[in-house]
């Protein structure tokens, strides 16, 4: 069987090697264009494996994001919501493990050169993905799994991504990416999971067409009214807060546990590493602010991104 799996992934590797490619712009050696989106070659094999082998359940809960749009945050929130009766807040797994270790990314952590047996996991299973809506495995749509998409304004997301990539590149002793060159690529759509706008739009449209199954929330909204949106998320995934829980302050406790302040100051996130990699957990926590882009982008750059957003998204009613 092992040989079989090896052969299967050899096939995926072959497929990926024939896709349009860009070299060396990321901390990965290569990124490729698969079904309209740019993905690291190694992760693309995982995406194909997910499409071919992942069997969704109706009870599955999926956090979906563009990179640097709130992945760490939504992982922590979903985990805390679903498991709130299992763990006391003061002795919670989120205090000793990075959220990425508790909620795996399907294509990166699970289908990385293997076909994992996910049938053994009890329901509800919580996963995360960067796969675009249009490339999700069919069973995830058919089964009616619930998908929570977190989107972020492209200006802050770009600045966050640039910092993140350079942090990881430094670990690999690669030179930092030039800000202006990286910006050009981002505008052209050549960024991890990009084009950034197309990624968000896919989930936006799905949230309008299938509101019971796809919830679209903005990072900025979550910042502005965390109580409201945490309750919305809990309700949506089938774990609404009871009035008793609300009275006892459970909503605030979860928000505090999953906050940038709490998570970024934990020992595990200050000195730990992303499991199986040389990269520090700390790379996932920078400022956690809205609007930091103004410290890095010129007014021309801001105008340019705003214009792309308007051209691509406003016709669909998506304001980012
Ligand atoms: P900044 O670089 O702007 O600070 P992702 O989790 O998708 O990789 O995104 C990382 C971004 O989310 C970083 O943004 C990071 O600081 C921020 N972030 C991480 N954890 C967060 C949390 N618990 N609450 C709010 N923002 C968080």
């Amino acid at each position: 069987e092992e040989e079989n799996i090896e052969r299967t992934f050899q096939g995926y590797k072959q497929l990926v090697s024939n896709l349009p490619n860009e070299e060396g712009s990321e901390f990965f050696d290569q990124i490729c264009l698969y079904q309209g989106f740019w993905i690291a070659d190694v992760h693309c094999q995982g995406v194909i494996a997910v499409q071919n082998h992942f069997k969704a359940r109706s009870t599955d809960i999926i956090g979906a994001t563009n990179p640097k749009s709130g992945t760490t945050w939504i992982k922590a929130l979903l985990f805390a919501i679903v498991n709130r009766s299992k763990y006391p807040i003061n002795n919670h797994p989120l205090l000793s493990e990075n959220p990425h270790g508790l909620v795996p990314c399907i294509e990166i952590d699970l289908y990385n050169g293997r076909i994992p047996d996910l049938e053994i996991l009890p329901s509800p299973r919580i996963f995360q993905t960067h796969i675009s809506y249009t490339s999700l495995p069919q069973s995830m749509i058919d089964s009616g799994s619930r998908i929570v998409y977190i989107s972020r304004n492209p200006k802050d997301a770009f600045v966050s991504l640039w910092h993140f990539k350079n942090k990881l590149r430094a670990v690999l002793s690669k030179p930092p990416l030039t800000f202006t060159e990286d910006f050009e690529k981002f505008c052209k759509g050549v960024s991890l999971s990009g084009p950034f706008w197309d990624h968000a739009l896919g989930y936006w449209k799905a949230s309008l067409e299938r509101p019971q199954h796809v919830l679209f929330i903005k990072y900025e909204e979550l910042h502005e009214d965390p109580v409201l949106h945490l309750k919305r998320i809990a309700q949506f995934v089938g774990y609404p807060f009871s009035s008793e829980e609300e009275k006892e302050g459970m909503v605030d406790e979860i928000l505090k546990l999953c906050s940038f302040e709490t998570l970024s100051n934990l020992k595990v996130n200050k000195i730990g590493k992303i499991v199986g990699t040389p990269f520090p957990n700390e790379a996932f926590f920078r400022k956690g602010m809205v609007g930091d882009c103004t410290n890095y982008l010129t007014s021309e750059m801001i105008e340019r991104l705003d214009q792309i957003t308007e051209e691509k998204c406003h016709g669909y009613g998506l304001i980012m």
Side-chain angles (χ1 to χ4, degrees):
E1 174 150 22
E2 232 164 68
E3 231 172 68
N4 239 339
I5 291 172
E6 217 179 300
R7 225 175 306 131
T8 302
F9 273 89
Q10 277 303 330
Y12 297 158
K13 198 170 177 182
Q14 180 69 32
L15 212 158
V16 169
S17 70
N18 289 324
L19 296 169
N21 243 292
E22 282 266 333
E23 218 159 312
S25 64
E26 311 290 335
F27 40 95
F28 306 103
D29 293 334
Q30 301 248 329
I31 57 171
C32 61
L33 186 64
Y34 180 64
Q35 299 182 340
F37 291 88
W38 289 97
I39 320 172
D41 279 17
V42 281
H43 299 163
C44 191
Q45 293 176 37
V47 172
I48 300 170
V50 170
Q51 291 178 330
N52 289 332
H53 303 280
F54 180 74
K55 289 193 186 65
R57 292 182 194 156
S58 61
T59 48
D60 284 345
I61 296 170
I62 318 286
T65 55
N66 245 324
K68 304 302 122 194
S69 295
T71 319
T72 313
W73 201 3
I74 193 60
K75 282 186 180 196
L77 290 173
L78 289 174
F79 185 89
I81 290 169
V82 169
N83 294 301
R84 65 182 183 266
S85 59
K86 249 196 219 159
Y87 308 111
I89 292 279
N90 60 4
N91 189 18
H92 200 281
L94 278 164
L95 297 173
S96 53
E97 262 189 83
N98 178 273
H100 295 273
L102 295 170
V103 176
C105 177
I106 312 182
E107 69 274 18
I108 297 178
D109 300 321
L110 297 178
Y111 287 80
N112 57 353
R114 62 200 175 102
I115 311 291
D117 179 11
L118 304 177
E119 290 306 313
I120 55 172
L121 297 177
S123 296
R125 305 180 298 183
I126 311 175
F127 302 115
Q128 175 263 322
T129 188
H130 291 309
I131 300 177
S132 71
Y133 186 77
T134 42
S135 291
L136 288 178
Q138 192 56 39
S139 78
M140 214 182 265
I141 313 290
D142 295 342
S143 67
S145 314
R146 263 160 288 186
I147 302 170
V148 181
Y149 187 78
I150 304 294
S151 95
R152 191 177 191 188
N153 80 77
K155 293 167 283 189
D156 284 345
F158 166 72
V159 168
S160 181
L161 185 58
W162 183 76
H163 281 101
F164 180 76
K165 288 190 292 192
N166 283 339
K167 248 182 212 164
L168 271 49
R169 286 174 70 90
V171 174
L172 301 175
S173 304
K174 290 188 180 184
L177 299 166
T178 316
F179 193 72
T180 46
E181 276 174 28
D182 205 42
F183 179 78
E184 279 306 312
K185 287 198 171 184
F186 186 83
C187 290
K188 289 193 189 117
V190 188
S191 63
L192 289 178
S193 297
F196 185 89
W197 299 266
D198 303 38
H199 197 277
L201 262 183
Y203 283 94
W204 171 252
K205 290 182 202 164
S207 75
L208 300 177
E209 282 159 19
R210 308 176 58 236
Q212 265 86 302
H213 298 293
V214 184
L215 179 67
F216 189 100
I217 292 195
K218 296 173 191 166
Y219 181 91
E220 295 78 19
E221 297 174 327
L222 205 43
H223 251 278
E224 196 171 312
D225 196 342
V227 171
L228 175 80
H229 293 292
L230 183 70
K231 287 200 245 172
R232 273 182 79 201
I233 294 169
Q235 172 91 36
F236 174 80
V237 299
Y239 287 78
F241 290 100
S242 66
S243 47
E244 207 163 272
E245 282 178 316
E246 284 194 32
K247 252 183 257 149
E248 285 166 0
M250 181 61 99
V251 173
D252 287 329
E253 276 184 21
I254 287 182
L255 285 173
K256 183 153 181 264
L257 173 69
C258 300
S259 69
F260 180 85
E261 274 294 289
T262 302
L263 295 185
S264 64
N265 284 308
L266 294 171
K267 192 168 161 208
V268 62
N269 293 325
K270 277 183 179 289
I271 61 168
K273 295 214 166 108
I274 304 166
V275 179
T277 77
F279 304 124
N281 286 336
E282 170 262 319
F284 286 101
F285 305 93
R286 194 179 61 94
K287 290 189 182 171
M289 280 171 50
V290 173
D292 185 46
C293 61
T294 52
N295 296 317
Y296 294 91
L297 300 172
T298 63
S299 48
E300 287 81 22
M301 286 169 150
I302 289 181
E303 217 168 278
R304 175 128 172 245
L305 286 179
D306 283 345
Q307 196 180 340
I308 300 174
T309 304
E310 187 176 327
E311 276 165 18
K312 285 214 178 199
C313 301
H314 288 192
Y316 296 99
L318 173 58
I319 311 286
M320 284 201 286

